[in-house]
Amino acid sequence: MTEEKFFTISELASMFDISSRTIRYYEEMGMLTSITRESLTKQRSYSNTERRRLKLILRGKKLGFSLQEIKEMIDLYESNPEGKAEKERIIEFADKKLKEIDEQILQLQILKEEIFTHRERFLQEK
Amino acid sequence: MTEEKFFTISELASMFDISSRTIRYYEEMGMLTSITRESLTKQRSYSNTERRRLKLILRGKKLGFSLQEIKEMIDLYESNPEGKAEKERIIEFADKKLKEIDEQILQLQILKEEIFTHRERFLQEK
DNA sequence: CTCCAAGTTGACGTTAACGTACACTTAGAC
DNA sequence: GTCTAAGTGTACGTTAACGTCAACTTGGAG
């Protein structure tokens, strides 16, 4: 059996050093779904699946994406498209994102070299 | 002689596909300085130097940095530190930024592979 | 000189991504 | 059962990064 551990909202929050409000906000936005919520209890409870999703969201934020963009990417991860047209649309989206990311990496490398050059300048002058 | 061309605010704006308001805002924030402003005229005028700065700012934004972070980096570019302590502080800052950028590039590469994997999944199922 | 498109200074409006405060409700220790 | 720390929904507050509007001023074409 897969040992399923569940988390309260504040456990999850301190786990990633964010506030409970933030998690509730992500849920409002439809980026997270607390599982047991639909059944008996009134309090949220999160599984490892949700923990992983939250991690994805926070990584996305660190990389400078908006919550909307992150949502789109996560939807890509979890989509199960029917018709061929749907599949093609998704593949196109993926290709677009891949291109954007490549460009972003390129720009970061340029920025890196620039900063390095300036750093050297100060070392030289020492 | 270096052929110096000057630009009005709207020229610069359309050049980068942003609004004049945005440029004025950056100036308010101390990220840009229209040159002729200090002298006779009342209207802003920008040189190539300012054009390059604006380009730097917009690149930074694309990469997900806040205007404050961008300002700090530009200050690094243009700082001329006096004492040894100042130099060391700047070098430390540069090193920190370089590390952050490396981490960012790494995360982007991971994200890239993830998206690629999911893309493949849809191709397979076709 | 005259005219008007373009620029300027406030000042208030807007959106994303939460923070904060409040008046409840819930759940686990005793 | 009860008590309290933790959770909930609702709603208003906040900050960054501009948008927008109004009432002027400026400067280049004619």
Side-chain angles (χ1 to χ4, degrees):
Chain A
M1 286 281 284
T2 32
E3 176 93 27
E4 269 292 21
K5 172 83 162 82
F6 288 91
F7 312 103
T8 74
I9 194 169
S10 57
E11 278 172 347
L12 206 59
S14 75
M15 201 171 287
F16 290 106
D17 198 33
I18 57 178
S19 73
S20 301
R21 174 67 173 100
T22 300
I23 295 179
R24 271 197 290 271
Y25 179 69
Y26 292 161
E27 200 164 328
E28 264 182 66
M29 297 295 104
M31 314 192 57
L32 244 67
T33 326
S34 47
I35 316 174
T36 46
R37 214 66 202 308
E38 304 120 16
S39 49
L40 355 81
T41 181
K42 277 273 193 159
Q43 280 181 208
R44 287 162 236 255
S45 173
Y46 303 90
S47 73
N48 272 309
T49 308
E50 297 303 312
R51 192 180 54 74
R52 271 192 298 273
R53 276 183 78 113
L54 184 51
K55 204 171 173 183
L56 281 184
I57 295 173
L58 296 176
R59 182 189 61 183
K61 285 214 60 195
K62 257 192 180 174
L63 293 177
F65 296 105
S66 73
L67 291 184
Q68 260 319 304
E69 287 175 299
I70 295 170
K71 188 164 152 51
E72 284 174 4
M73 291 197 286
I74 291 183
D75 285 353
L76 164 68
Y77 280 38
E78 290 172 2
S79 69
N80 235 330
E82 297 303 309
K84 193 179 160 191
E86 263 298 288
K87 280 188 191 175
E88 272 171 13
R89 203 186 54 76
I90 290 181
I91 288 177
E92 263 178 55
F93 177 75
D95 285 343
K96 201 185 84 191
K97 274 294 155 186
L98 286 172
K99 243 181 131 176
E100 281 175 25
I101 294 171
D102 271 336
E103 176 64 19
Q104 205 165 338
I105 290 176
L106 183 65
Q107 293 296 325
L108 280 171
Q109 271 154 356
I110 294 174
L111 177 58
K112 217 177 110 180
E113 280 189 38
E114 282 176 16
I115 292 181
F116 190 75
T117 303
H118 284 279
R119 194 201 110 109
E120 288 302 283
R121 185 161 63 85
F122 292 127
L123 276 181
Q124 299 274 322
E125 284 174 3
K126 213 163 197 176
Chain B
M1 287 280 283
T2 33
E3 177 92 28
E4 269 292 22
K5 172 83 163 84
F6 289 91
F7 312 103
T8 74
I9 193 169
S10 58
E11 278 172 346
L12 206 59
S14 74
M15 200 172 285
F16 291 105
D17 199 32
I18 58 178
S19 73
S20 300
R21 174 68 172 99
T22 299
I23 295 179
R24 272 196 290 268
Y25 179 68
Y26 293 162
E27 201 164 326
E28 263 182 66
M29 297 296 103
M31 315 191 57
L32 268 133
T33 325
S34 48
I35 315 174
T36 46
R37 215 64 201 311
E38 304 119 16
S39 48
L40 355 81
T41 182
K42 277 273 194 161
Q43 280 180 207
R44 288 162 235 256
S45 174
Y46 303 90
S47 74
N48 274 309
T49 308
E50 296 304 313
R51 194 181 52 75
R52 270 192 298 273
R53 276 184 78 112
L54 183 51
K55 204 172 174 182
L56 280 184
I57 295 173
L58 296 177
R59 182 188 62 182
K61 286 214 59 194
K62 256 193 181 172
L63 293 177
F65 296 105
S66 73
L67 292 184
Q68 259 319 303
E69 287 176 298
I70 295 170
K71 189 164 153 49
E72 284 174 5
M73 291 196 287
I74 290 183
D75 286 352
L76 164 67
Y77 280 38
E78 290 172 0
S79 68
N80 236 331
E82 297 303 310
K84 194 180 162 191
E86 263 297 289
K87 280 188 189 174
E88 272 171 13
R89 205 187 53 76
I90 289 182
I91 288 177
E92 263 177 55
F93 176 75
D95 285 342
K96 202 185 84 191
K97 275 293 155 187
L98 286 171
K99 244 181 129 177
E100 280 176 26
I101 293 171
D102 271 336
E103 176 63 20
Q104 205 166 337
I105 290 176
L106 183 65
Q107 293 296 324
L108 279 171
Q109 271 155 355
I110 294 174
L111 177 58
K112 217 177 111 180
E113 279 188 37
E114 282 176 17
I115 292 181
F116 190 74
T117 303
H118 284 281
R119 194 201 109 110
E120 289 301 283
R121 185 160 63 82
F122 293 129
L123 277 180
Q124 299 272 323
E125 282 174 4
K126 212 161 193 176

